[in-house]
Amino acid sequence: VIFEADVSVARKGYIAIDEIQVLSYPCDKSPHFLRLGDVEVNAGQNATFQCIATGRDAVNNKLWLQKRNGEDIPVAHTKNINHRRFAATFKLREVTKNDQDLYRCVTQSERGSGVSNFAQLIVREPPRPIAPPQLLGVGPTYLLIQLNANSIIGDGPIILKEVEYHMTSGTWTETHAVMAPNYKLWHLDPDTEYEIRVLLTRPGEGGTGQSGPPLITRTKCA
């Protein structure tokens, strides 16, 4: 049995409960939920919670997702699994760190109400290097750099590192995946200025962060 109340921080008070009635509805008629799991997404992506209610009249129940502060999220999609089980999908679009909170499923019917456990929405920030790459060596047609991507803004783990570069006077851009701390850019034009940045990616859709600060350098004359 769960009792809930909103408590004001501005004024002291008390909560009294009276006239509690225990009805004789069988468990298979009262609505209840399967356990709600945590959801982790990258910032800017859509988050999805799926609530599954069970009970004899589950298909006729009202059902919604509720944030810890009492805010209600309407259902996006429903599906009848069978006559005793009902699934509802809730979508939170383009979530940010401000959406990171606890959420639960709530259902209501003539035979009673039910709430699930609180599950956490975890919003991760795609990683971005704090510092630009470091120049280790230079020739007429190559540049040797260190990625210098150990310090980041955002969340790990890092599953992919890429080097993005282009001529400062050009419009094209090339991106290469990098498996080592150092990387050599080949087949460059002599005496030409290049802008080089590092891209980092964490797991999940939308896990690639913004490119880091640029290293601007020039190849030697031939």
Side-chain angles (χ1 to χ4, degrees), residues 27-135:
C27 291
D28 65 344
K29 292 184 178 180
S30 299
H32 58 279
F33 288 98
L34 301 185
R35 182 170 180 80
L36 185 65
D38 294 340
V39 174
E40 179 177 319
V41 295
N42 292 311
Q45 303 301 305
N46 297 335
T48 301
F49 283 95
Q50 186 176 61
C51 301
I52 300 179
T54 62
R56 186 169 295 179
D57 296 328
V59 295
N60 299 317
N61 295 353
K62 295 179 181 178
L63 198 149
W64 64 94
L65 189 70
Q66 188 176 72
K67 200 172 180 179
R68 179 171 50 175
N69 64 5
E71 177 186 348
D72 293 335
I73 293 93
V75 65
H77 176 71
T78 60
K79 179 182 178 181
N80 295 336
I81 300 174
N82 55 45
H83 71 285
R84 293 181 58 183
R85 184 164 291 185
F86 177 86
T89 300
F90 300 87
K91 290 188 179 294
L92 287 74
R93 302 192 178 278
E94 299 180 354
V95 297
T96 67
K97 281 287 189 180
N98 292 333
D99 297 306
Q100 182 167 290
D101 209 329
L102 297 177
Y103 294 80
R104 68 178 179 180
C105 309
V106 182
T107 184
Q108 190 175 47
S109 73
E110 294 180 355
R111 296 187 181 275
S113 299
V115 294
S116 73
N117 61 293
F118 273 109
Q120 187 173 12
L121 173 61
I122 304 167
V123 181
R124 302 296 190 189
E125 289 290 343
R128 177 177 182 268
I130 292 176
Q134 292 182 342
L135 184 64

Side-chain angles (χ1 to χ4, degrees), residues 14-36:
Y14 65 91
I15 299 172
I17 300 175
D18 192 14
E19 295 184 3
I20 298 175
Q21 297 182 1
V22 180
L23 303 179
S24 60
Y25 291 139
C27 291
D28 65 344
K29 292 184 178 180
S30 299
H32 58 279
F33 288 98
L34 301 185
R35 182 170 180 80
L36 185 65

